[in-house]
Amino acid sequence: MKRCLLFGCLFSLLTLNGCQKSSVNPAPVNKSGVEVTVEDGGQFPQFLVGTWKADKDGWEFVFEPDGTISSAVIALGRFKITPGKITTVPMKMGGKSILEPGEWLVWYAPTTRELVIKIVVKHFYAEIGDDVLKGKVEYVFVGKISGNYSSWNATCTSFPEYAAYTPERHELPVDPDDTIKELLFTKPDKTN
């Protein structure tokens, strides 16, 4: 019972978010691990370059001038991760968390101002005392940039798969109500 409560609390702390998949004709993934596509072959818009933060769940994206995301703070543990690089974070109760990103996607349509981002954590591992939480998650964000280009209303849908090892393997249930969230992103630094 104590272990169930421990993992229930941990799972609550590691709130998950995400969005639906987009049918995009993908551009090649560059060396950063991020695939960037601008509809109609245009350039990535300068107003998107910089840091965008969500109004809840800790989400943050940093866009570079070429449209790649150089880092993201994700809702899962509010960890800061970099595409193409494994992140290791010490845990407060001892042990460590390890996050390995998969391929990420950025897609923008200038005519409709629609922005789609896909963030993949291909492997997640967290030590909690003698127990371990493992899994993977994909987040997809879909929404339109505002008419004045200062905010982004995005629907985020997550596709999590997690299991706790106590030491037996236990699949963690996913509440469908927790997999879809509405987020408002803005650029607090006001950079363009």
Side-chain angles (χ1 to χ4, degrees):
M1 181 66 167
K2 184 178 179 181
R3 288 179 195 247
C4 290
L5 287 174
L6 170 68
F7 282 105
C9 291
L10 176 65
F11 194 69
S12 295
L13 290 174
L14 303 176
T15 304
L16 304 172
N17 301 319
C19 278
Q20 58 196 354
K21 292 190 177 185
S22 169
S23 60
V24 174
N25 206 0
V29 175
N30 65 29
K31 64 183 178 191
S32 72
V34 182
E35 175 185 308
V36 179
T37 302
V38 177
E39 193 174 83
D40 299 327
Q43 295 294 314
F44 191 75
Q46 288 302 296
F47 67 81
L48 284 173
V49 175
T51 302
W52 288 77
K53 292 185 178 189
D55 58 340
K56 58 188 166 196
D57 297 334
W59 281 102
E60 178 181 305
F61 299 113
V62 179
F63 288 102
E64 297 302 317
D66 64 356
T68 58
I69 297 173
S70 56
S71 69
V73 175
I74 63 173
L76 174 67
R78 299 197 180 191
F79 294 120
K80 181 177 183 177
I81 60 176
T82 302
K85 295 183 181 176
I86 294 174
T87 300
T88 303
V89 180
M91 300 289 280
K92 288 183 180 179
M93 299 185 315
K96 63 187 172 204
S97 286
I98 302 171
L99 295 95
E100 180 182 357
E103 291 182 4
W104 295 5
L105 171 130
V106 174
W107 181 84
Y108 181 69
T111 55
T112 61
R113 298 186 321 274
E114 184 173 31
L115 176 64
V116 176
I117 297 175
K118 179 172 80 171
I119 301 292
V120 176
V121 177
K122 127 174 135 174
H123 179 72
F124 172 76
Y125 170 91
E127 298 171 344
I128 303 120
D130 293 332
D131 302 321
V132 172
L133 178 67
K134 292 182 184 180
K136 62 183 179 177
V137 63
E138 180 177 308
Y139 303 97
V140 183
F141 300 80
V142 177
K144 286 191 174 193
I145 301 293
S146 65
N148 63 4
Y149 305 107
S150 65
S151 63
W152 176 42
N153 286 300
T155 301
C156 182
T157 305
S158 63
F159 304 94
E161 295 177 28
Y162 288 110
Y165 294 80
T166 63
E168 315 77 42
R169 185 177 196 278
H170 303 280
E171 286 289 326
L172 295 177
V174 175
D175 182 346
D177 292 335
D178 289 336
T179 61
I180 299 175
K181 302 243 178 153
E182 297 296 323
L183 301 171
L184 175 64
F185 285 85
T186 55
K187 290 177 70 176
D189 57 6
K190 302 290 184 199
T191 59
N192 288 326

